[in-house]
Amino acid sequence: MAYILDERQKQVSVAGANAPTIECNKVSLAGSVSQRACVFCGSRVVLYPIVDALHLIHGPIGCAAYTWDIRGSLSSGPELHRLSFSTDLQERDVIFGGENKLYDSLIELIDAHNPKAAFIYTTCIVGVIGDDVERICRQVEKEKNIPVIPVQAPGFQGSKKDGYKVACEAIFKLVGTADKPTPKKSINILGDFNLAGELWILLEYYKKMGVHVNATITGDGRIDDIRNAQNAGLNVVQCSGSMIHLAKMMKEKYGTPFMRVSYFGIEDMSDALYDVARFFKDDDMMAKARQLVKEEISRLMPELAWYKERLTGKKAAIYVGGAFKAISLVKALRLIGVQSVIVGSQTGTPEDYELIKKLCDEGTIIVDDSNPVELSHFVKEKHADIFIGGVKERPIAHKIGLGFCDHNHERKEPLAGYEGMMNFAKEIYATAMSPVWKFTKNP
Amino acid sequence: MLLRHTTAKEIDRKALTINPAKTCQPIGAMYAALGFHGCLPHSHGSQGCCAYHRSALSRHFREPIMAGTSSFSEGSSVFGGQANLVQAIDTMFTVYNPEVIAVHTTCLSETIGDDMLAIISKADEDGCIPKGKSVIYCNTPSYVGTHVTGYSNMVTSFVKNFATATPKKRNVINLVAGWMEPSDMAEIKRLAKVMEARTLMFPDMTGVLDAPLDGHYKMYPKGGTTLEEMKLSGDSKFTIGLGPMTTEAACIQMDNKCKVKFEVIDIPIGFKATDRFLMSLSRHANVPIPEELSDERGQLIDLISDSARHLYGKRVALWGDPDTLVPLTEFLVSMDMKPVYIVSGTASKYFDEKMPVILKDIPEAKFMCGERADMFRMHQWIKQEGVDLLIGNTYGKYIARDEDTPFVRFGFPIADRPGHNYFPKTGYKGAANLLTQMVDAMLDKFDRVCDEEKVEFQM
């Protein structure tokens, strides 16, 4: 594997007996065309779906421009989060400081929109020029009487994963600032961002089971719900990479228990519902969950069989942000006859990779923080038919003549839940079987 | 409504930018660098910058975008980015084997004061730059100028580093391409070919960002201006810059370094700007304008006359970059349309000087460039009095929907429709393409919403 940088050899492994433990949590090698992003990016994507808050980006224009309406996190109400607000720092601000500009911008915004809270993101440069963002936030909070929360997210302080942590800390400042009567058997949904309306599918399931959903963090999120989040009986955490930190902090301070779930694929989705019923030790809830799962599966399986018959033997390469999602994808693909031959993530932990290794067939390539050169070699070596990834991987997959499924910000159909499993099967089928791949070679 | 927060009354803002009509310098530098064959752009800053630029360019072109990053850490922000960049240069030449690495800076590396020349010299001393390969750089602080400035800076850096004058002049005209699509560049090269003028275009994204799908992934697609051509550009007899904001600095650099005289003209959008381009090329290459091109012009004029009744007096709102907005506005005015609202986030003397002249007979026109000339402001103007057509990048789609206004996509980024890198907007054919899209958009809406008895077969 000469195309793998020497320094990266240990971040790649092959599933099978005696496979070495993969190294991860490493900083990207400078010069490597890494698919990773920065702290700001991580905090921004996590907080972005809170729809009734202001999101003001304190920095030069780029950071605001590139995160303007970038993920399809749908709102059932306010649309404030889809606008792009920036202090647009100029050279004079870099020299004389941007504090006044930040203050003025905040006042202008709060006066115009009366938001429930404001998040102020600091970017790379703000830390270096020494603006006291905390002080401005405190001052505006006092003047305008809404929570004004600094999100200290200079990009250079780490990778996207570190940004998730920063976002969790920002949210944690809100938790516990309200105390509303809340049903005992209630949950907070952590780590679903309502891409393509996925959260709404989950809400429907939980409603059918008789579970009260207290706060959704952060998909279709509301400040008032988050402030009261400590009153839920349980935190149900998906996409653990981004939200586990918040769950841990809430457990420590408020004693709120948490569990990790995944909503992708039939197995994991059903477990997510059963686990909640089991947690509340409620037979009625469990019976309703069983009924729901039974109904959904008996409707879904015959339809999936059609796809499985046609897709069996196809091979998939997975390269996604979080490893937990990759695990669900391996299982979901298996359900429709597709074998995962490459499984990688940008931010997986050693435990995640061990789990993947156990789950996958022998010979599967497992990789942490990969790059386009490696990925294109892997897919050739393993004869993959389909690639599952994000925006930067799509055109590469297409150039090689592979089908592609976006399992990231750009998904257009919900992929969560039973309905999502159906959409996923359709999408994989449509792309894997597209006639276009027959024409990629010149006559 | 997605933009329910927009009020018709203009809020007096002194600090805040809402929905920018611009982005930052580094992405322009990255885009420009992709127009050189075998070039790997490199972002000297945090890895997020590089990821954002690659994603934005990928979404627009639907092509793989390769670039390295120095992956700054807390340590680099305190001690400087030298170690990271030296290692990055080593890694990139070892693994990705580019001909040239084109480094651009970021707000972070600029603010901590990294000396790029010193760092690249250090990398050379350390033996990280193989023989025959190059590392060049330009400064692109994000808090100065916009993406347009970054593009200009990178093109200028290529001239500075590669253009070489030898005693042997060549009968070739340099065409410095401003920020446009590969399709626009291909059309300009076609026009030159039809005229039998010998030209050398740089940067040149054709064959790079419109590459064919043939089952192979190529890190360096076959297109792009080669470094050999860049060296030869210093022996060309004249330079034509297309778009003042994005090419004038490179033209001046070429003149200073290689004594190649130059002229900077508008990007050939619309028939007047195309006329000027052809005349300039004809004069400097000393070739006539052939009948074939006169016929193309005649076809465009024919199309305009056929559509004139649909164009007359139509109010249009535009946003984008000065280099495209100026000739586009001129094109609309020349067809009796009324470009009434124009914004660009890029501060530009060119814009400020040209617009009042082009728009002198449209007293109601409002135009603004620079800080806080953003999409929110333009939407407020539209709320005050509506328009018949919107022309600009994808960020206009929210306004188009809320105000139910026909919308033609033009500019950067276009993330929700394919094809812009294949179908040009430059030259007579590009103008015809643009005009057809405009008329289609307006008539499609008419057919959809007009009273039933008004639907007609012929229009």
Side-chain angles (χ1 to χ4, degrees), chain B residues 385-435:
Chain B
E385 190 178 349
V387 293
D388 301 296
L389 182 67
L390 302 168
I391 306 178
N393 63 25
T394 293
Y395 288 119
K397 76 186 292 178
Y398 318 103
I399 300 176
R401 187 183 155 97
D402 281 6
E403 309 300 332
D404 193 16
T405 305
F407 175 29
V408 170
R409 286 163 178 78
F410 188 9
F412 177 88
I414 297 173
D416 62 340
R417 295 290 187 276
H420 43 82
N421 48 351
Y422 291 142
F423 303 103
K425 301 261 171 36
T426 53
Y428 302 122
K429 290 218 186 271
N433 178 23
L434 180 59
L435 168 61

Side-chain angles (χ1 to χ4, degrees), chain A residues 154-168:
Chain A
F156 58 84
Q157 282 180 353
S159 140
K160 198 167 167 181
K161 200 169 163 180
D162 303 296
Y164 298 153
K165 213 168 166 180
V166 171
C168 286

Side-chain angles (χ1 to χ4, degrees), chain A residues 3 5 28-38 40-41 56 60-62 65-70 77-80 82-92 94 101 104-105 108-109 112-113 124-125 128-129 155-157 159 371-373 376 380 391-392 395-396 398-401 410 437 440-441, chain B residues 1-5 11-20 22-24 27 40 42 46-48 51-56 58-59 62-64 66-74 77 84 87-88 91-92 95-96 107-108 111-112 142-145 211-217 219 371-372 375 395 398:
Chain A
Y3 49 85
L5 299 171
S28 302
L29 186 63
S32 166
V33 181
S34 169
Q35 308 294 74
R36 278 180 178 169
C38 64
F40 166 72
C41 179
L56 172 63
I61 198 70
Y66 304 120
T67 55
W68 174 10
D69 201 24
I70 45 158
E79 298 284 2
L80 199 55
R82 296 186 67 166
L83 303 186
S84 176
F85 300 118
S86 170
T87 51
D88 188 9
L89 291 182
Q90 300 294 311
E91 193 159 24
R92 58 170 186 271
V94 173
K101 210 169 181 186
D104 288 343
S105 297
E108 284 172 11
L109 266 171
H113 299 299
C124 283
I125 196 176
V128 181
I129 62 175
F156 58 84
Q157 282 180 353
S159 140
N371 58 64
V373 173
S376 63
K380 277 200 180 142
V391 51
K392 293 191 289 295
I396 302 169
H398 283 179
K399 279 286 184 272
I400 310 173
E410 291 179 9
W437 310 126
T440 55
K441 302 275 181 298
Chain B
M1 290 216 282
L2 285 170
L3 300 182
R4 65 187 74 150
H5 305 286
I11 305 164
D12 180 32
R13 285 179 281 148
K14 51 181 176 174
L16 177 69
T17 293
I18 309 175
N19 300 350
K22 62 170 175 181
T23 181
C24 66
I27 196 171
L40 185 61
H42 181 85
S46 302
Q47 57 190 8
Y52 279 137
H53 304 146
R54 288 178 58 214
S55 293
S58 274
R59 286 187 171 112
R62 300 175 189 232
E63 291 286 327
M66 292 304 126
T69 163
S70 293
S71 297
F72 268 39
S73 62
E74 189 95 56
S77 77
N84 289 52
Q87 191 204 5
T91 303
M92 286 187 280
V95 189
Y96 306 118
C107 47
L108 178 59
T111 310
I112 62 178
S142 320
Y143 45 79
V144 177
L213 194 165
D214 57 6
H216 300 285
Y217 163 64
M219 182 120 182
E371 280 178 82
R372 289 178 292 288
M375 302 287 292
Y395 288 119
Y398 318 103

